[in-house]
Amino acid sequence: MRFSPFLAAIAAAMLLAPSPAMATAKAAAPAATEESDREIVLAQLDYTTGLSVTFTDSVPSDEVGMVQTGMIGRAPLIARDDEDTLLETYLEITPPDVAVPRRLVEAHGADLPAELQRRRITSEPVTAGGLTAPASAVRSGTSTCTWSPFGWTLWHDDGVPGLPAKSYSTFDFGGFKQSIAESYVANCTPQSSSSNLWARHRIYYRNILGNFVKHFEGLVPPGHHQAVVKSGAIKRHRTVSYDDAWNADPSCGGGTCVYAREGRFRS
């Protein structure tokens, strides 16, 4: 089973610099119609483990992203070095015969990897299946509702019944603008559960008008986990929001409706 993340649409008009509480509240309770980037798929990669990896470009924010989704326990995540660009990650996890999206090359900047000399670069969307990620790129450890995939985090909430919806903003961590947002969700609700018992996370950035605009929205079905990175050359205020389809009801499924979340902002 493979779940491909999909996009939906936050308008939180903020012409004055918001307080951390305002930024969090607006992202946690978005309006019915949200201002949203247009997400363009650069590459769709499917691995033999069942892991789905999507590389994207966001317009008009001009940021690239990487989304990983797969079954807990069967599809381990790709491990990314904190210093690697998304181009370097792409080159590591794809064989030489898979084309490279030109947009990832452009986003990398100067000092292009030597590996590019033997790779075809394309402006067309790339689709590749039946891939095997090199052992060096597969993250070790078993994903659970207490497992942490990042080397360090700004927030980490273990999966417990009744975990409420919450947002985390750069305003909560010193108020500094950052160029990268990373988020992870593990929906530990039993895989046999109804597919409507999803966990959701969204990533926003604050544009020059002071509005929070949605980069990404992912719905994570029962028994799956998902890791997302959004990266741009410009430092911005950012927010990541989480909620679930059972509205944090601790009695859902006899207390088995559980998801974990963690993430960080960095430059």
Side-chain angles (χ1 to χ4, degrees):
M1 175 180 179
R2 179 175 67 81
F3 176 81
S4 293
F6 59 93
L7 305 170
I10 112 184
M14 303 170 70
L15 298 180
L16 299 177
S19 67
M22 287 177 63
T24 299
K26 286 188 178 289
T33 301
E34 298 181 317
E35 186 174 351
S36 179
D37 267 6
R38 181 167 61 93
E39 198 83 332
I40 301 168
V41 174
L42 301 175
Q44 177 64 52
L45 310 175
D46 296 310
Y47 291 80
T48 55
T49 59
L51 182 70
S52 169
V53 180
T54 307
F55 287 84
T56 63
D57 188 19
S58 293
V59 178
S61 66
D62 198 33
E63 296 201 0
V64 291
M66 175 182 175
V67 183
Q68 304 182 59
T69 306
M71 285 186 184
I72 294 173
R74 287 183 52 185
L77 299 176
I78 300 297
R80 294 188 62 246
D81 189 293
D82 285 354
E83 303 302 316
D84 284 353
T85 66
L86 289 183
L87 172 63
E88 290 169 324
T89 299
Y90 185 94
L91 293 175
E92 183 180 9
I93 67 174
T94 56
D97 61 337
V98 175
V100 179
R102 186 176 304 278
R103 179 70 183 93
L104 293 182
V105 177
E106 295 170 348
H108 176 85
D111 301 320
L112 292 172
E115 167 73 10
L116 270 181
Q117 296 179 9
R118 62 178 185 140
R119 302 291 291 266
R120 181 172 66 88
I121 300 174
T122 180
S123 297
E124 299 298 319
V126 176
T127 301
L131 302 177
T132 301
S136 61
V138 176
R139 188 175 294 281
S140 61
T142 300
S143 179
T144 68
C145 273
T146 59
W147 181 67
S148 175
F150 296 135
W152 60 272
T153 62
L154 289 175
W155 65 90
H156 174 90
D157 298 312
D158 286 344
V160 294
L163 189 67
K166 189 167 183 178
S167 296
Y168 293 92
S169 169
T170 51
F171 292 104
D172 300 326
F173 304 101
F176 301 110
K177 294 181 179 181
Q178 303 287 354
S179 58
I180 299 173
E182 292 176 286
S183 178
Y184 171 75
V185 171
N187 187 348
C188 298
T189 301
Q191 191 177 321
S192 58
S193 302
S194 172
S195 61
N196 67 313
L197 294 178
W198 40 257
R200 177 174 66 161
H201 64 145
R202 292 148 290 162
I203 299 178
Y204 304 87
Y205 69 95
R206 187 170 179 243
N207 66 15
I208 59 174
L209 297 178
N211 302 329
F212 271 98
V213 181
K214 184 162 59 181
H215 263 318
F216 167 82
E217 178 167 354
L219 299 180
V220 186
H224 286 68
H225 57 168
Q226 186 177 80
V228 182
V229 55
K230 296 297 292 187
S231 176
I234 300 175
K235 292 185 179 182
R236 310 174 191 265
H237 284 301
R238 301 173 185 272
T239 293
V240 179
S241 293
Y242 305 90
D243 60 8
D244 59 69
W246 54 92
N247 297 317
D249 180 359
S251 66
C252 174
T256 63
C257 298
V258 175
Y259 77 101
R261 60 202 182 197
E262 75 169 39
R264 59 187 180 177
F265 306 113
R266 62 188 182 88
S267 291

